[in-house]
Amino acid sequence: FFFVPPSVFKHLHTDAFLVTANQKKHNNNLKNRGITDITINHQPKKTRLIRCYPLAANFLDSKALTNLYYKYIDWLDRSPFVARSVTAAVVGCLGDLLSQRLEAFMRNDVFLINWTRFSSFFISGLLYVGPFLQYWYGGLWAVGRWMERKVTKKKIWQTLAQVFVDQTLGVLIFFPLYFYAYEASEAIVSFQAPVWATATKKLNQEL
């Protein structure tokens, strides 16, 4: 079995489900709506499929993008910790690159990449953001399962509880520690000792 999370593409159906090799008959109604099943990986006794809706199917028409997407999903399946850490690192440094570009534009200045800052965001994403979110959201998932067993089976209450914990306790833990993680990352890039007072000052300014 292979589970495709509904958040991967916003145009995928929200009711993502497991598909097996013996489910070869397609619903005519789905066909009329342009919905297709795309083979991800074929093995002698098992075929991995993703049910893809029209806009997502058009996006996946590119063979290179399709192969890249499938490899990424398989990587998440095989090594979730590493995959999510690297993903957080890439997203962090690309976000900083965009931020630097916008800053240069707002100042009407020449865009020159600050590689120290760029690398610091990469390292902090790799060593802090990715690992933190891996275990934190695993904990939130456990909260939902506990509520399902002990409190209520209604998804709305489980979701509200998870959001409440995430936006209170999660924020209180994640953001203060991030300033120190970034300071440590910047120290690694600059080959200098971290200045914790600088991180504390930045944290106080944000608060």
Side-chain angles (χ1 to χ4, degrees):
F1 295 106
F2 181 73
F3 178 72
V4 180
S7 58
V8 172
F9 288 109
K10 65 180 180 180
H11 297 296
L12 287 178
H13 197 276
T14 53
D15 298 323
F17 52 85
L18 297 172
V19 186
T20 60
N22 63 348
Q23 293 172 314
K24 296 180 179 179
K25 293 184 178 180
H26 296 266
N27 186 285
N28 290 330
N29 182 44
L30 295 182
K31 282 187 175 182
N32 293 335
R33 291 163 57 193
I35 301 168
T36 56
D37 283 341
I38 300 175
T39 302
I40 292 180
N41 183 32
H42 182 72
Q43 298 175 3
K45 297 184 179 180
K46 181 171 65 174
T47 301
R48 294 181 176 185
L49 301 174
I50 176 174
R51 178 143 290 175
C52 195
Y53 275 56
L55 290 178
N58 292 335
F59 178 79
L60 293 176
D61 278 345
S62 168
K63 186 176 180 180
L65 287 176
T66 302
N67 291 336
L68 181 63
Y69 165 68
Y70 294 156
K71 287 179 180 178
Y72 180 70
I73 291 298
D74 283 338
W75 187 29
L76 281 172
D77 192 33
R78 293 192 312 270
S79 306
F81 180 85
V82 175
R84 288 166 182 164
S85 296
V86 173
T87 300
V90 171
V91 170
C93 67
L94 291 181
D96 176 64
L97 190 63
L98 176 61
S99 177
Q100 291 188 44
R101 180 68 184 87
L102 291 174
E103 289 172 4
F105 175 77
M106 295 298 292
R107 295 193 304 266
N108 196 24
D109 199 358
V110 177
F111 173 48
L112 297 174
I113 298 176
N114 183 334
W115 290 106
T116 299
R117 181 173 138 180
F118 178 86
S119 303
S120 299
F121 272 98
F122 181 89
I123 293 176
S124 61
L126 182 69
L127 301 181
Y128 175 69
V129 179
F132 181 93
L133 296 180
Q134 162 79 9
Y135 290 107
W136 176 253
Y137 284 109
L140 288 181
W141 182 87
V143 169
R145 301 294 71 76
W146 176 84
M147 288 190 64
E148 186 175 11
R149 293 193 308 270
K150 302 292 186 179
V151 183
T152 178
K153 293 185 179 297
K154 292 184 177 181
K155 295 294 184 182
I156 181 63
W157 292 113
Q158 296 173 29
T159 301
L160 288 174
Q162 290 169 320
V163 171
F164 177 78
V165 173
D166 184 47
Q167 295 300 307
T168 53
L169 183 61
V171 170
L172 289 174
I173 296 174
F174 177 83
F175 283 104
L177 289 178
Y178 180 79
F179 285 91
Y180 296 97
Y182 181 85
E183 177 63 28
S185 300
E186 195 171 47
I188 293 173
V189 174
S190 304
F191 299 101
Q192 298 176 353
V195 181
W196 303 121
T198 300
T200 302
K201 182 179 179 180
K202 291 179 180 178
L203 175 60
N204 291 332
Q205 288 174 348
E206 292 298 322
L207 294 177

